[in-house]
Amino acid sequence: MVEDVEAVRQGLGLGKIALLGHSYGGALAQAYALKYQRNLNHLILASTWSSSAALNEVFVRMKQNMAPELRERIDRLEAQGLFGQGKPYEKNRYSNEYMIAAWGEGYFPYVYHNRPDPNYDPTALGEAWDLYREMWGEHGEFIIDGNLKSVEYTERLAGIKVPTLMVVGEHDECEPALSQAMHDKIAGSKMVVLPNSGHMTFVDQTGMFIKTVDEFLAGGVR
């Protein structure tokens, strides 16, 4: 995927770019910076993580903080196996029951905070299931054990010298401590925590998000 990003940059004749990655896109942006830093003038890492092991620890705490009934329901469904269940057209995806429990009741408080989406449908989120299973894994939303577990970049981030901004929501699924770990490693980097915001910072705090990014690109974030 890093090579896909580089191919787009070359194909559009962009020269040096400011690269913003949100969530998984932030992991990809780090991977790009670690290989093609020479092609960047700014790097923005939004609501992301540099260590899947650390993110898995966040998920453990997230589960611990759930209402006991919800946690027990999720644990039961995960113990049954999340794939191969139901009707033939359902066997390669999570069941609706699990999607509602995990993506709905479990994740929703960490996705939106200031402006919860009244049209959010946790059963409509999964499409590219073969890809999802390969990347995230097969054992549920609260552990990364697919190939994304290879995202262990923290100790390499000191090599990033381009101006870098971390922006994260106060109540983010990718909690601020994950951004702090990246901020600590990248010399001269900036970090902004958006108040009353979940993972979808640009929805919860649209004006703050845009202002933060614009000021950083103009050299004004402190």
Side-chain angles (χ1 to χ4, degrees), residues 103-122:
W103 285 340
E105 298 168 75
Y107 273 170
F108 193 77
Y110 302 92
V111 177
Y112 301 99
H113 204 81
N114 189 47
R115 297 178 61 189
D117 181 358
N119 297 312
Y120 179 85
D121 181 359

Side-chain angles (χ1 to χ4, degrees), residues 50-199:
S50 59
S51 165
S52 289
L55 182 55
N56 279 337
E57 292 175 4
V58 172
F59 290 143
V60 169
R61 294 193 293 274
M62 190 183 295
K63 256 192 170 182
Q64 290 172 340
N65 291 333
M66 289 177 182
E69 183 280 328
L70 174 60
R71 183 171 60 250
E72 290 165 8
R73 186 164 17 120
I74 287 173
D75 286 344
R76 172 178 55 81
L77 291 167
E78 290 175 348
Q80 291 173 356
L82 297 174
F83 294 93
Q85 308 290 337
K87 297 179 175 62
Y89 60 82
E90 299 175 297
K91 291 185 182 298
N92 195 46
R93 64 172 175 87
Y94 292 160
S95 67
N96 283 357
E97 184 181 6
Y98 185 76
M99 286 192 275
I100 289 168
W103 285 340
E105 298 168 75
Y107 273 170
F108 193 77
Y110 302 92
V111 177
Y112 301 99
H113 204 81
N114 189 47
R115 297 178 61 189
D117 181 358
N119 297 312
Y120 179 85
D121 181 359
T123 67
L125 296 180
E127 294 181 359
W129 281 102
D130 289 340
L131 177 62
Y132 194 81
R133 290 175 72 174
E134 181 175 348
M135 292 178 67
W136 194 265
E138 301 205 354
H139 298 97
E141 285 304 292
F142 303 95
I143 182 169
I144 296 173
D145 58 1
N147 65 16
L148 274 181
K149 67 184 179 184
S150 67
V151 175
E152 293 296 339
Y153 300 147
T154 307
E155 297 308 314
R156 299 173 58 194
L157 295 181
I160 294 177
K161 306 300 183 184
V162 297
T164 301
L165 167 69
M166 290 79 190
V167 57
V168 62
E170 181 182 13
H171 303 281
D172 209 307
E173 172 187 342
C174 289
E175 65 179 33
L178 300 175
S179 290
Q180 185 67 51
M182 296 182 288
H183 176 47
D184 290 344
K185 289 293 183 180
I186 302 177
S189 62
K190 312 297 181 184
M191 178 174 163
V192 175
V193 180
L194 298 185
N196 197 21
S197 177
H199 194 58

